Amino acid sequence: MTTTPAPDPSAPEPSAPDHPASPSGEAGPPDSVPVLADDATGPPVRRFWAVRRIPAAILAAVVLGAAGLLLYDVAAVRADRSAMAWRRELADGLASRPLDSAAVVLGAVLAVVLGVWLLILAATPGLRAVLPMRRRHPDVRAGLDREAAALALRDRAMEVSGVQSVRVRVGRAKVGVRAVSHFRALDEVRTDVETALATGVDELGLAHPPALTVRVARPPRKG
């Protein structure tokens, strides 16, 4: 018969391992999410691309309808039926109308404008209201709405002494600020507003901080 010695109350408790054990039985570091430092060069930041569902849906519907109507008319002609009136009139008009007529030139201009518009939509990102922010993680992208940025900067400017009202307009490359000061010197107010908004723009975390333009004026006199 064997006896098990009782545990010593004064003995220290076994400490838990610093890292959880891996499936193979070996201890390993916990999973960590890589985060870039503030001064590190992260991945390139580009603008957000718009989905453009409405233009794509309209173009697809127009092309589908025109193609379906044309195929139906071609099939009807192949079945020894007469072509639709619109196709006969279109063929006769194209055969008899000169190329320098107003209707042909107008139609060509509209087709060119439509084609250029579609090319611009296909080649530009869109979403001009969303400003891309700095990337601290390679797999995470963030954007800030222009109206939200303008509201945050407006609140910053209203904290400056002497500012009565502020209008802030945020663009992709420029922030325009118009402030009204009812006391203090205008130069002092402008300097304080520029300092406060420069800090505010930096705290927004934008990938491409816009330039700042501040104008301060007195309120209009009441007649």
Side-chain angles (χ1 to χ4, degrees):
M1 180 177 180
T2 59
T3 59
T4 303
D8 187 2
S10 62
E13 296 182 357
S15 59
D18 294 338
H19 305 294
S22 61
S24 60
E26 299 178 356
D31 296 336
S32 59
V33 178
V35 178
L36 299 176
D38 293 336
D39 55 351
T41 302
V45 179
R46 298 180 177 88
R47 291 175 56 190
F48 292 88
W49 281 78
V51 180
R52 296 189 176 96
R53 293 187 178 92
I54 296 179
I58 294 176
L59 180 61
V62 171
V63 172
L64 182 62
L69 188 62
L70 181 61
L71 290 176
Y72 174 80
D73 193 42
V74 171
V77 172
R78 293 291 184 179
D80 295 334
R81 296 182 180 179
S82 59
M84 292 184 178
W86 66 269
R87 195 155 73 96
R88 294 197 303 268
E89 294 178 359
L90 180 61
D92 295 339
L94 293 177
S96 58
R97 193 182 301 273
L99 296 179
D100 57 350
S101 64
V104 175
V105 173
L106 180 60
V109 170
L110 292 178
V112 170
V113 171
L114 179 61
V116 171
W117 178 62
L118 293 176
L119 289 176
I120 292 175
L121 290 181
T124 55
L127 288 182
R128 299 177 61 87
V130 179
L131 302 174
M133 303 179 67
R134 290 193 293 265
R135 299 182 67 174
R136 297 292 306 279
H137 189 279
D139 299 330
V140 178
R141 296 187 63 194
L144 182 62
D145 188 78
R146 287 189 185 183
E147 294 183 359
L151 182 60
L153 296 179
R154 176 185 176 277
D155 293 340
R156 276 272 188 171
M158 289 297 298
E159 296 176 357
V160 176
S161 176
V163 175
Q164 182 179 13
S165 62
V166 182
R167 295 179 60 185
V168 180
R169 186 175 183 180
V170 178
R172 288 195 299 125
K174 182 179 179 181
V175 175
V177 180
R178 293 179 178 270
V180 176
S181 175
H182 56 297
F183 70 93
R184 294 183 64 195
L186 296 182
D187 293 338
E188 296 179 0
V189 175
R190 183 183 300 106
T191 301
D192 292 345
V193 171
E194 289 178 351
T195 303
L197 293 186
T199 304
V201 169
D202 184 67
E203 292 179 352
L204 292 177
L206 300 178
H208 307 287
L212 186 62
T213 302
V214 179
R215 297 181 180 178
V216 182
R218 294 296 186 192
R221 296 182 179 180
K222 297 181 180 180

